[in-house]
Amino acid sequence: MTEVLPRTESADGGPSEPPLPRKGLTVSTGLAGLSLDAMASVAYGPEAIVLVLAAAGSAGLGMTLPVTLAIVVLLAVLIASYRQVIAAFPNGGGAYAVAKSHLGHRTSLVAAASLIVDYVLNVAVSIAAGVAALTSAIPALLPYTVWICLAILVGITALNLAGIRESARAFMAPTVVFVAGILTVIAVGLVRGEPASTTSAAAAVADTRTIGILLLLKAFSSGCAALTGVEAIANAVPSFERPRVRRAQRAEVALGVLLGIMLIGLATLIGKFAVHPVEGTTVLSQLTEAALGHGIGYYVVQFATVVLLALAANTSYGGLPTLTKILADDNCLPHRFAVATPRQVYRYGVLTLGISAAVLLIASEGNMNALVPLFAIGVFVGFTIAQAGMVKHWLRRGERGWRLWLNAFGAALTCVAAVVTTAMKFTAGAWLIVLVLPLLVFGMERIRSAYRKIDGRRGTGCVPAPPSPTGTVIVVPVSEVSELSREALSAALSLGHDVVAVHVCLPGANTTVFTKAWAAWHPEVPLEIIDAGDCTVGGPVARYVRDNFHGRRKVVLIAEVDPPSGWDRLLPSHRSDELERQLRRLPETVVCHLRVQTS
């Protein structure tokens, strides 16, 4: 699920606006820019259903259409509910913002955690599904699935780190080709009597069992992955042209209609052509081949699927870094997640997303069917929180009409779907999401608590006493009599008159030679010789500073040569890093770095 967040903070605490066209989105460009996740889900949603029902043989596969119809009913409820979210929150905002406004801080963190999980899974699932479509068209590439997945992931991550922005209008062409291709497959497949051609590989049917309610529930929970992304339009209402609410609502309805038609059409073809899971070939590939044959039409649909899934993965790179920036501003994540590069890239969010998706792709060996079971849980947690927040919204406004009951029904339905999905997929990997979500919430709570303590120590919000000078001693570690030592002492004497030079006598060093050189230089600065006792420098200097200047402020000035860029930065001994690690633990101690540039 990719939740596109508006970049300008909304009045209700919503997220900020994504890099979308300044001119504003129309219904068509809004569909192209904000619904890629939902559109692309038809590449793996129906396959997830087939993979479960195939265990019951042909009778089980015959239930593909009824299960899909149940999912489309849920889709209709979600679309109707999110139309109300658009009307109630015209400034945009996702489940995190709605929960923060109406359900409290901790619930908002649950929503944020579910979004983080879904952003990562969206990248992994989209890339894995795209590569599956590619290897279905070119089977020779199948042994290199993981490497192809990682190559695409590295490419997308590198482009986003470079600050290359996408445009909703740039998404129009691949979206139109993909949707037109899928609708063509459905139309031709419905009128065709016999398959144009069939996949010759053996069907991968695990076993045969009777059709029971548990099997149908498991298939339903698997197919619910096709509902990812239906909320994205509601979260980017400010990105639309005026009248924004009306355009966003129309785009939401258009998304629901298109997605519903594609899901029902593909499910009908699955039953008509008796499609079974085949190792190394996706269900969509089999349907396309059965409807269009193995000619140019087949390859157009397959490669359009690959491109659209790659673009769907890329949309997470616009959403997660912005979400982590908002969480960092709220003190729920380290503040470095809120630091942007000159190209307005939140580097730490991009890297975190790329690394997390890489771990999932490697662990699953690039198999989308191993990742899809993890997908729907976080999606429905977010759906439920958003709908429950809307119920609270209407109650606060005194609304007791159909809007309240629509969102209440949506919240109940998505909550049931979340419970069913978790129960049915628990042993298939859903336990990982059940474990990760509370861990993320716990981690964000701890970070928030740590920042609260830091703010208390800083005295934020109160008027401090007037500043006053204190006795200060300036300590300068020196390793030799050199030009670097002269620069260090000159800088120290510029800061104050009470300057002490310290020299750590490391094992095997000749102290006599150093003291003679110091005496000959005669820099008019007292020198203290410290016995290292081991091979470190930081510990002895920190102990000397701690034990000899009680009640005074200490300034430790560390001079170092700043090497040129590139591999030259690996050359220094980095004793300064060791010094700083030890000294920054001391109270009333300031560590200054003097970097001397090389010519």
Side-chain angles (χ1 to χ4, degrees):
M1 177 181 69
T2 297
E3 184 165 313
V4 181
L5 301 170
R7 178 168 295 171
T8 308
E9 186 172 314
S10 63
D12 59 337
S16 58
E17 186 176 342
L20 292 170
R22 294 181 181 179
K23 190 176 179 181
L25 297 174
T26 62
V27 174
S28 57
T29 56
L31 276 174
L34 300 172
S35 64
L36 295 181
D37 300 350
M39 296 290 187
S41 66
V42 301
Y44 49 80
E47 177 153 350
I49 299 173
V50 170
L51 201 64
V52 174
L53 293 179
S58 299
L61 290 171
M63 297 301 295
T64 301
L65 183 57
V67 171
T68 302
L69 289 174
I71 293 172
V72 171
V73 170
L74 179 57
L75 170 65
V77 173
L78 284 172
I79 294 297
S81 298
Y82 273 104
R83 287 186 79 255
Q84 302 310 312
V85 174
I86 292 170
F89 287 86
N91 291 323
Y96 174 69
V98 175
K100 187 178 177 182
S101 299
H102 297 300
L103 300 177
H105 171 70
R106 184 158 295 174
T107 305
S108 71
L109 290 185
V110 175
S114 69
L115 285 173
I116 291 171
V117 169
D118 292 336
Y119 278 129
V120 174
L121 281 169
N122 176 65
V123 173
V125 171
S126 296
I127 290 177
V131 173
L134 181 63
T135 54
S136 295
I138 310 175
L141 297 177
L142 188 60
Y144 310 102
T145 295
V146 176
W147 291 108
I148 297 173
C149 288
L150 293 178
I152 294 174
L153 176 63
V154 169
I156 295 174
T157 304
L159 288 175
N160 281 274
L161 285 174
I164 296 177
R165 300 289 188 178
E166 74 279 2
S167 167
R169 288 175 177 81
F171 293 158
M172 280 291 292
T175 303
V176 169
V177 172
F178 175 80
V179 173
I182 297 298
L183 294 179
T184 301
V185 168
I186 293 171
V188 174
L190 289 175
V191 299
R192 184 179 291 278
E194 295 293 331
S197 61
T198 57
T199 303
S200 58
V205 181
D207 59 356
T208 302
R209 68 183 86 158
T210 57
I211 303 173
I213 186 65
L214 290 180
L215 187 67
L216 293 176
L217 287 175
K218 189 175 182 180
F220 173 81
S221 63
S222 297
C224 281
L227 301 180
T228 59
V230 299
E231 78 295 337
I233 292 173
N235 299 315
V237 180
S239 301
F240 283 84
E241 290 181 0
R242 297 181 184 276
R244 291 169 180 160
V245 169
R246 186 177 303 171
R247 289 183 187 275
Q249 287 180 326
R250 288 175 178 174
E252 189 77 57
V253 172
L255 168 61
V257 171
L258 280 175
L259 186 56
I261 290 174
M262 289 191 289
L263 289 175
I264 294 173
L266 292 176
T268 303
L269 293 187
I270 289 170
K272 179 178 181 178
F273 295 135
V275 171
H276 290 73
V278 173
E279 186 69 30
T281 304
T282 65
V283 166
L284 183 58
S285 173
Q286 294 181 63
L287 293 175
T288 304
E289 187 175 359
L292 306 179
H294 205 80
I296 187 171
Y298 169 82
Y299 286 102
V300 168
V301 174
Q302 289 302 103
F303 286 114
T305 303
V306 174
V307 172
L308 195 79
L309 285 163
L311 293 175
N314 186 61
T315 56
S316 283
Y317 283 87
L320 180 64
T322 307
L323 174 63
T324 54
K325 186 264 183 190
I326 295 166
L327 291 170
D329 287 340
D330 288 344
N331 292 334
C332 297
L333 285 180
H335 286 173
R336 64 185 59 198
F337 280 93
V339 178
T341 67
R343 290 179 176 268
Q344 293 302 304
V345 175
Y346 299 110
R347 180 186 295 124
Y348 289 97
V350 171
L351 288 174
T352 300
L353 178 56
I355 293 170
S356 301
V359 171
L360 286 176
L361 287 170
I362 293 171
S364 65
E365 298 181 346
N367 182 1
M368 71 169 180
N369 292 319
L371 294 169
V372 169
L374 311 178
F375 207 178
I377 298 173
V379 173
F380 280 104
V381 169
F383 286 163
T384 303
I385 290 174
Q387 299 306 309
M390 284 301 300
V391 171
K392 191 74 172 288
H393 171 79
W394 296 125
L395 288 174
R396 285 182 176 179
R397 295 187 56 176
E399 173 70 51
R400 297 294 187 274
W402 64 273
R403 294 182 180 87
L404 170 68
W405 293 108
L406 175 63
N407 287 126
F409 180 62
L413 207 57
T414 54
C415 180
V416 170
V419 172
V420 169
T421 302
T422 303
M424 293 296 103
K425 296 297 181 182
F426 192 82
T427 57
W431 63 268
L432 180 62
I433 306 302
V434 174
L435 178 65
V436 167
L437 284 177
L439 285 178
L440 281 173
V441 174
F442 175 75
M444 288 187 284
E445 287 278 20
R446 288 294 302 271
I447 292 171
R448 184 178 176 87
S449 176
Y451 275 122
R452 191 179 296 116
K453 292 178 182 178
I454 292 172
D455 287 342
R457 183 66 183 85
R458 289 164 52 194
T460 303
C462 63
V463 179
S468 59
T470 58
T472 302
V473 60
I474 303 167
V475 179
V476 182
V478 293
S479 60
E480 60 187 355
V481 175
S482 64
E483 185 64 24
L484 183 64
S485 298
R486 188 194 70 81
E487 290 276 1
L489 293 176
S490 297
L493 290 169
S494 301
L495 296 175
H497 298 292
D498 194 353
V499 179
V500 176
V502 295
H503 175 76
V504 178
C505 183
L506 294 170
N510 193 329
T511 307
T512 304
V513 173
F514 178 81
T515 53
K516 286 183 178 179
W518 184 270
W521 183 30
H522 195 61
E524 300 296 335
V525 173
L527 174 68
E528 291 287 341
I529 304 294
I530 307 173
D531 184 15
D534 51 27
C535 294
T536 66
V537 171
V541 173
R543 287 191 294 271
Y544 171 79
V545 171
R546 181 194 62 198
D547 297 339
N548 289 277
F549 304 104
H550 295 287
R552 302 179 66 185
R553 192 174 301 278
K554 286 80 68 176
V555 176
V556 182
L557 192 147
I558 304 171
E560 55 187 328
V561 176
D562 193 18
S565 59
W567 67 273
D568 293 337
R569 295 190 181 277
L570 300 175
L571 300 179
S573 65
H574 296 290
R575 290 284 192 185
S576 60
D577 297 337
E578 177 192 332
L579 274 166
E580 183 173 7
R581 280 196 301 271
Q582 296 291 333
L583 290 167
R584 67 185 179 187
R585 303 173 184 174
L586 302 179
E588 295 187 327
T589 301
V590 179
V591 180
C592 296
H593 286 272
L594 173 65
R595 300 187 182 275
V596 179
Q597 301 292 328
T598 57
S599 56

